[in-house]
Amino acid sequence: MKRREFLKTSALGTMAMSLPLSRWQLFAQETSLPHAAFVKNGDPESLVMNAIQALGGMERFIQKGDKVLLKPNIGWDRSPELAANTNPEVVATLTTLCFAAGASEVKVLDRTCNEPQRCYRNSGIADAAAAKDAEIVQVRKNRYVEMPLNGKVLKSWPIYKDYLEADKVINIPIAKHHGMAKVTLGLKNLMGVMGGRRGSLHVNFAEKMADITQHIMPTLTVIDAYRMLMANGPSGGNPDDVRLVRTLIASPCTVSADVLGLELFGHSLSDTEQIKVAVERGLALYDTQNLDVARIDLA
Amino acid sequence: MQNLRKLVQIGFFLLFIILFLKARYPYEFSMGSDFGLRLSPLIPVFTFIETLSFPPLVIPGLIILLLTPFLGRFFCSWVCPLGTCLDATDHLIKTPKNRNAQRWDKLRFLKFANLIALVILAIFSVNLWGYLDPLSIFNRMLTVILYPLATLFTEKSLLVLSEISILETPAYYLFDLFKDNVMPEAQAHYQQVLLIALFSGAILAGEKLSRRFWCRYVCPAGALLGFMSQSRFYERLVGEECPACNMCISECKMDAIPGDDVSKTNKVECIECFNCGAACPPKTKAITYRWRWKPYHTQLDMSRRQVLTSMVSGVAGVGLLSIGLPNRNHERQMIRPPGSLAEAEFQDKCIRCLECVRICESNGGCLQPDAIHSSLTQLWLPAAHMRTGYCEYNCNLCAEVCPTDAIQPITLEEKQNWVMGEAYFREDLCIPFARDEDCIVCEEHCPTPDKAIKFELKLVQLPNGESQELKMPYVVPALCIGCGICEFKCPIVGKAGIFVTKAIDETSEMTYYS
């Protein structure tokens, strides 16, 4: 390891380890605002607007001059209708809100599973976000930083540099079926900033994910369930597996958002090892059994 | 005229480079990248031998051929990008003067012998001519050697620059700009680099022996064009005022002006570079060019014995290439791109230009120039190597760029249903089977709308006596198209726990050529 890299890594590492949870999360729970927003029956834009408003507006999360990173799911070379990637309008609306709250820059990136240029383009996300002046960032192999974790299973794992350098991060998963993890929501979506051979994380998945995600929890998690992929996930491809649910969940706590997201599939916490382990290991900001949820029906 | 020729020559060279660079995702360039390769004059001839017809794809080559009786071998110095490369090499390495390269002159027949042997081989359905097709050689060199080298050096130097703090932003800006427009997102690396480098290097190194060594003595396309321009209608005339200073002889790229008579031109060899006119001293300007409807005829530089010898060697080649022992173990390794003709036909049509390999690298990057498994004819055919890359489900670009339609131009929908291979698990390696742990990364990535890899829940007895529920993957053969993403993404280091083999064509017996 080069000296410069070593210094950088150890600086980041010390920072990460000095905090019980990630640096982006809200620690003071002084407000009486709800823990999460669950909005249904709207178009993507109004779902986002209402959810963010219910949580106290984007100004609560983004301060003037903040460098913001949006992490949608752009994993697959699929069109938006096939619900394998986050809805582009959701990403676009969040971009607008971030700039309105005073963000100095908004980056959008994901480490894709299929060829990156195809995914960025065919998901519609690159065009939609760029139209709102977001910076579309292609993930480069040399820009990962080895992050010390001292977890139960993993000692360290490479995380994307732009993610670590951002002032605020918004995690924007799409709610999907997943063969191995049963569902993929906010926690699983964070795999898109992880480097290395991600496939090897599948072995002892729940513990490994908890080891990593506890250090990189985002400021805000917005689960897009406008369209949901109910089978053959996470890659999908069959329009018959897609259900138009027109719902969106937002929460400052990724684990709480995921627990709420299970409702959409009719699963309980015990069905999904990964989210269950995250709750057990105390990664949630709130008591997930007694969440204060703002439920909004736009119909 | 020499300046015009140089201009057109550079123009065509740039066209070939642009067509090459544009052969990448999203491939929205209106002029197909296969157009350039179709300019090869060999394509119409060998396509005709193969199919006894002239399909539309031969039109560009046919135009070159039809112009040749009037204009001579203009292709070689105005169009051919390999010729331009050779001319450029002249400036790099010191090429001997024509009078010092006389000893090679008796080899002129070699190119005709090559052509005759290749034609005979083709009649017996052994198509080796693609190896010697100049455009194919150029494209192969570009795909496997020059482009990856250029990418390597550009990437590395920009990354080094990005380490300097004030240059970080502009270096990354340039890096992204190159990545988006010129360089591949992820450069593929190829097997056979050494062999292809030696092959193209030898052709360029021929310039050390004489000017345009390849074009004078070896190139079958040059032979074909020379054969057709024996009585071409465009001629070089030398006026009375010629002082016989012999400047034109020493400037001639092809040594096509006989030393004893400056007024004659060897029409078979002349490539219309117009160096002679430019070399003629300005005071005299004795050389002019003119159309002439009663041209004189130039003999081919080839004896009857040489014709016979090359025919015999062609026939012997057919035999030798057909009697080797096929290694049946390799039969299913040669996975061809989706849309490919059946193996025997594919080997006949493919000219090994590697354009499909080139465009593949902007996507999954699974196509590689093949090695020799059991026959020379397999060399440099495109073969899918799923451990290095995989076939993108939404991509049919290789089918769009094939200049000879060895890969049929199938639609995306046809491609998505095209079975190029079959996946099998290696249960001695696959993690759930071998290690009693959950994995199924292969299932996650399987792209068919109804996943071809599924899993069943199985209660497994662990060595410590406990039992655990595991997800055991399996392949549904009817759904699998053999895209290989499972093999590519398998997290095991080294040999994957799942692998793809060539799909079996039940209708044809797998034999030497199939």
Side-chain angles (χ1 to χ4, degrees):
Chain A
M1 191 184 278
K2 283 183 213 138
R3 199 177 66 94
R4 237 183 92 150
E5 262 175 61
F6 175 75
L7 287 177
K8 266 192 221 165
T9 314
S10 33
L12 278 168
T14 325
M15 196 164 64
M17 281 161 60
S18 60
L19 302 171
L21 285 172
S22 132
R23 67 190 171 107
W24 298 291
Q25 282 188 293
L26 304 173
F27 299 108
Q29 303 301 319
E30 78 284 2
T31 55
S32 56
L33 289 163
H35 297 153
F38 190 109
V39 192
K40 51 184 185 179
N41 295 323
D43 56 87
E45 192 184 344
S46 64
L47 288 172
V48 174
M49 296 296 232
N50 281 282
I52 301 298
Q53 195 157 34
L55 293 179
M58 198 52 111
E59 289 74 14
R60 179 181 166 205
F61 305 100
I62 310 280
Q63 272 74 51
K64 227 177 170 54
D66 272 352
K67 292 177 176 174
V68 183
L69 186 134
L70 303 186
K71 164 60 187 79
N73 188 334
I74 325 180
W76 308 93
D77 180 14
R78 299 279 195 213
S79 62
E81 296 72 40
L82 292 171
N85 302 309
T86 305
N87 191 305
E89 287 175 61
V90 170
V91 182
T93 312
L94 282 167
T95 308
T96 315
L97 288 177
C98 288
F99 279 124
S104 62
E105 68 170 34
V106 176
K107 286 183 177 180
V108 179
L109 66 80
D110 187 16
R111 183 180 171 197
T112 61
C113 293
N114 291 131
E115 202 277 324
Q117 295 197 354
R118 283 182 173 273
C119 298
Y120 272 50
R121 186 183 159 105
N122 296 338
S123 66
I125 291 174
D127 284 348
K132 306 291 183 208
D133 298 326
E135 185 188 340
I136 310 302
V137 180
Q138 283 285 358
V139 170
R140 304 290 178 221
K141 260 187 212 153
N142 62 320
R143 286 177 71 82
Y144 287 97
V145 181
E146 192 74 19
M147 186 176 206
L149 303 169
N150 278 7
K152 258 171 128 173
V153 192
L154 295 173
K155 294 286 160 267
S156 70
W157 199 266
I159 304 294
Y160 203 64
K161 198 174 160 195
D162 295 29
Y163 187 84
L164 295 176
E165 283 174 351
D167 295 322
K168 300 288 159 58
V169 289
I170 303 182
N171 181 24
I172 325 171
I174 177 168
K176 278 192 292 185
H177 165 259
H178 192 286
M180 191 265 314
K182 214 143 208 164
V183 297
T184 156
L185 292 165
L187 288 165
K188 176 89 176 61
N189 192 46
L190 291 176
M191 278 188 90
V193 296
M194 298 176 194
R197 283 182 310 115
R198 291 185 294 181
S200 65
L201 295 173
H202 275 212
V203 177
N204 202 355
F205 182 68
E207 296 291 347
K208 283 181 182 170
M209 283 304 282
D211 280 353
I212 304 176
T213 50
Q214 63 175 332
H215 294 288
I216 58 167
M217 284 296 184
T219 322
L220 176 67
T221 293
V222 178
I223 300 176
D224 158 36
Y226 183 73
R227 294 190 189 88
M228 277 173 73
L229 182 62
M230 304 305 289
N232 284 309
S235 56
N238 187 351
D240 296 341
D241 295 334
V242 177
R243 196 192 293 163
L244 190 66
V245 186
R246 291 160 43 92
T247 300
L248 186 131
I249 298 167
S251 170
C253 169
T254 311
V255 183
S256 306
D258 281 9
V259 171
L260 272 175
L262 291 175
E263 259 182 46
L264 301 166
F265 295 89
H267 288 319
S268 63
L269 195 56
S270 56
D271 294 336
T272 51
E273 183 75 5
Q274 182 210 354
I275 303 171
K276 195 178 82 182
V277 167
V279 172
E280 284 168 2
R281 286 180 54 173
L283 302 194
L285 288 178
Y286 313 118
D287 175 4
T288 50
Q289 305 214 296
N290 299 302
L291 284 176
D292 172 16
V293 184
R295 290 184 186 269
I296 303 166
D297 193 340
L298 298 176
Chain B
M1 276 306 262
Q2 187 203 30
N3 289 332
L4 178 68
R5 186 265 300 165
K6 281 186 176 167
L7 212 65
V8 174
Q9 189 179 14
I10 292 170
F12 266 106
F13 189 75
L14 290 179
L15 174 74
F16 278 99
I17 298 285
I18 290 168
L19 287 176
F20 177 85
L21 291 178
K22 287 288 172 189
R24 73 203 301 267
Y25 179 76
Y27 196 53
E28 284 160 345
F29 197 50
S30 52
M31 179 190 273
S33 283
D34 42 3
F35 168 77
L37 293 157
R38 285 178 178 168
L39 284 172
S40 165
L42 292 177
I43 290 183
V45 175
F46 287 97
T47 306
F48 184 76
I49 293 175
E50 180 73 22
T51 64
L52 298 181
S53 66
F54 289 114
L57 68 88
V58 306
I59 290 172
L62 215 50
I63 291 172
I64 300 280
L65 279 183
L66 292 178
L67 288 175
T68 302
F70 303 96
L71 297 173
R73 275 173 76 175
F74 72 101
F75 176 83
C76 305
S77 71
W78 292 61
V79 181
C80 180
L82 185 64
T84 311
C85 283
L86 293 172
D87 287 346
T89 315
D90 277 352
H91 297 288
L92 293 176
I93 58 179
K94 205 163 157 275
T95 304
K97 293 225 155 55
N98 280 340
R99 65 168 178 276
N100 298 334
Q102 292 296 328
R103 70 190 127 147
W104 305 109
D105 227 39
K106 54 184 178 295
L107 288 181
R108 297 246 186 217
F109 78 94
L110 194 62
K111 58 179 177 295
F112 302 108
N114 277 341
L115 181 65
I116 294 171
L118 291 174
V119 166
I120 290 169
L121 284 164
I123 290 170
F124 285 93
S125 201
V126 180
N127 283 272
L128 297 181
W129 60 277
Y131 293 111
L132 297 183
D133 180 292
L135 301 190
S136 187
I137 292 168
F138 175 73
N139 210 56
R140 210 182 293 143
M141 184 165 73
L142 218 50
T143 303
V144 179
I145 318 277
L146 299 181
Y147 186 66
L149 275 182
T151 307
L152 179 77
F153 291 125
T154 322
E155 260 183 44
K156 284 277 188 289
S157 42
L158 284 175
L159 288 180
V160 168
L161 286 181
S162 74
E163 292 279 309
I164 305 165
S165 59
I166 50 158
L167 291 178
E168 186 174 347
T169 316
Y172 269 110
Y173 174 76
L174 279 181
F175 191 83
D176 282 336
L177 199 69
F178 277 131
K179 282 267 177 194
D180 289 346
N181 297 296
V182 189
M183 295 193 298
E185 186 58 40
Q187 175 69 55
H189 297 280
Y190 300 112
Q191 55 180 21
Q192 298 291 325
V193 165
L194 195 62
L195 208 53
I196 293 174
L198 282 175
F199 187 88
S200 15
I203 290 170
L204 296 181
E207 292 301 291
K208 199 69 194 161
L209 304 177
S210 86
R211 268 182 123 173
R212 292 268 192 158
F213 186 87
W214 166 263
C215 318
R216 289 184 192 181
Y217 310 117
V218 193
C219 182
L224 174 67
L225 296 173
F227 175 75
M228 295 187 68
S229 61
Q230 294 171 50
S231 321
R232 63 149 201 246
F233 292 97
Y234 195 66
E235 282 188 17
R236 186 179 68 98
L237 301 179
V238 182
E240 297 285 316
E241 61 274 33
C242 169
C245 68
N246 288 358
M247 287 297 283
C248 50
I249 296 183
S250 58
E251 277 307 305
C252 181
K253 284 188 188 183
M254 297 296 285
D255 200 9
I257 304 171
D260 49 0
D261 185 357
V262 207
S263 66
K264 284 260 186 296
T265 311
N266 183 340
K267 294 183 175 180
V268 176
E269 299 297 334
C270 173
I271 56 173
E272 313 279 334
C273 70
F274 294 101
N275 272 5
C276 45
C280 197
K283 267 183 277 174
T284 45
K285 273 289 163 224
I287 297 176
T288 48
Y289 303 95
R290 195 169 304 164
W291 293 99
R292 221 159 64 162
W293 293 106
K294 268 192 188 161
Y296 64 85
H297 173 249
T298 303
Q299 281 289 324
L300 280 191
D301 227 342
M302 196 179 191
S303 68
R304 191 174 301 165
R305 186 189 302 260
Q306 284 163 342
V307 175
L308 270 175
T309 316
S310 46
M311 287 172 79
V312 171
S313 61
V315 174
V318 174
L320 280 179
L321 286 169
S322 314
I323 58 171
L325 175 69
N327 185 340
R328 296 187 61 192
N329 291 330
H330 295 311
E331 279 175 7
R332 296 191 72 185
Q333 285 174 9
M334 296 170 263
I335 308 169
R336 302 296 173 218
S340 294
L341 298 166
E343 184 70 16
E345 263 184 278
F346 183 73
Q347 292 198 3
D348 289 347
K349 280 253 175 85
C350 174
I351 58 169
R352 286 82 166 162
C353 67
L354 303 185
E355 186 71 356
C356 50
V357 173
R358 179 321 185 234
I359 204 159
C360 185
E361 144 266 40
S362 69
N363 293 281
C366 77
L367 291 182
Q368 289 274 330
D370 209 353
I372 300 175
H373 296 285
S374 53
S375 157
L376 178 66
T377 52
Q378 289 150 357
L379 189 67
W380 304 339
L381 289 170
H385 280 226
M386 305 307 187
R387 201 58 177 146
T388 359
Y390 64 94
C391 183
E392 280 286 348
Y393 184 68
N394 288 341
C395 175
N396 62 338
L397 294 182
C398 55
E400 285 185 27
V401 297
C402 182
T404 56
D405 286 354
I407 309 172
Q408 298 279 299
I410 53 173
T411 63
L412 185 57
E413 204 188 333
E414 286 170 314
K415 187 266 156 164
Q416 288 171 341
N417 292 302
W418 187 280
V419 182
M420 64 191 291
E422 291 166 359
Y424 292 90
F425 278 100
R426 281 190 186 103
E427 295 194 1
D428 53 341
L429 288 178
C430 177
I431 293 169
F433 297 99
R435 295 282 178 85
D436 295 334
E437 286 173 307
D438 269 333
C439 175
I440 60 168
V441 174
C442 47
E443 185 266 357
E444 178 181 25
H445 287 88
C446 184
T448 50
D450 187 4
K451 281 182 186 292
I453 299 177
K454 299 193 188 301
F455 63 90
E456 53 184 354
L457 292 170
K458 219 174 193 174
L459 213 56
V460 179
Q461 191 90 30
L462 300 179
N464 62 10
E466 289 174 26
S467 58
Q468 191 196 336
E469 201 173 58
L470 279 181
K471 300 186 176 82
M472 311 304 280
Y474 62 93
V475 179
V476 184
L479 297 173
C480 179
I481 55 169
C483 74
I485 195 170
C486 47
E487 187 177 342
F488 179 70
K489 299 277 182 180
C490 176
I492 299 175
V493 180
K495 215 173 215 180
I498 185 165
F499 65 102
V500 174
T501 63
K502 190 187 180 91
I504 304 171
D505 180 4
E506 306 288 358
T507 57
S508 84
E509 198 181 336
M510 298 276 272
T511 53
Y512 199 64
Y513 282 117
S514 53

